[in-house]
Amino acid sequence: MVFEKLLGKPYGKELDLLGLEKDSNPKESTCKGGIIGTEDEDNRDKTIVFNSDCTGLVTPKDTYANIKDDYKRRTVTAVEDFFKFVLVDMNSAFNFDKNFGVKPSSIRIAQEMAKKDLLTFLEKGISQRCEETEAEDMIEETFFYYPIKGVLNAISAEIYNELQQS
């Protein structure tokens, strides 16, 4: 269903669920398909980092010193789009209450929290990362997950608070 929503058409293939087999190795399961058919031994140690705004790959010119407000804004927009897809589009298509027992009030809280403080969460994550690096270091991880991590924490706290009041 996720692939069909993303592609906008029927997926048409059967999914191979990885990591559910007895004695499966989680590291192998999560990387399957990451590197396919490469004979170049030099590619083994290369790190590939996607831009946080979903526009391509990080290049050597992308350093912590070069982080601009426009890049942060585009990152926040990408995170907003992600949460809309997960919390609105997928919930409409798959009904989280019916299929997972997620109360509509919890979904509403998640949808509201997913719109708050994204830039603050992003800047806090970047600031913490900058304390560990030099300004001219190449960006080594996508910033896309910084606001997501902050929002997930805020959602958990807010849903917990609501459940305590009930």
Side-chain angles (χ1 to χ4, degrees), residues 25-72:
N25 180 334
K27 293 282 188 190
E28 289 176 10
S29 298
T30 57
C31 80
K32 186 171 183 174
I35 299 178
I36 299 174
T38 181
E39 294 182 22
D40 183 0
E41 291 292 321
D42 291 337
N43 281 335
R44 287 182 181 229
D45 295 330
K46 289 184 181 175
T47 300
I48 298 172
V49 179
F50 288 99
N51 280 332
S52 301
D53 61 358
C54 305
T55 60
L57 302 176
V58 170
T59 66
K61 69 177 178 59
D62 296 316
T63 65
Y64 292 96
N66 291 335
I67 300 169
K68 304 284 188 248
D69 286 342
D70 184 53
Y71 183 74
K72 291 178 189 177

Side-chain angles (χ1 to χ4, degrees), residues 6 41 53 114 156 165:
L6 288 171
E41 291 292 321
D53 61 358
S156 297
Q165 295 172 5

Side-chain angles (χ1 to χ4, degrees), residues 90-146:
M90 289 308 299
N91 184 44
S92 295
F94 195 64
N95 192 323
F96 294 165
D97 181 25
K98 181 177 146 194
N99 289 291
F100 299 121
V102 178
K103 296 186 334 185
S105 60
S106 295
I107 292 294
R108 277 192 301 280
I109 288 170
Q111 290 170 343
E112 290 169 16
M113 299 306 292
K115 297 175 184 174
K116 293 183 177 180
D117 302 321
L118 296 177
L119 183 59
T120 301
F121 292 134
L122 174 63
E123 288 178 338
K124 183 177 180 183
I126 291 171
S127 176
Q128 288 175 341
R129 186 66 182 141
C130 285
E131 289 175 12
E132 303 166 3
T133 62
E134 299 291 325
E136 296 306 318
D137 286 349
M138 185 174 136
I139 295 171
E140 296 177 340
E141 62 187 9
T142 180
F143 300 150
F144 180 79
Y145 297 106
Y146 295 161

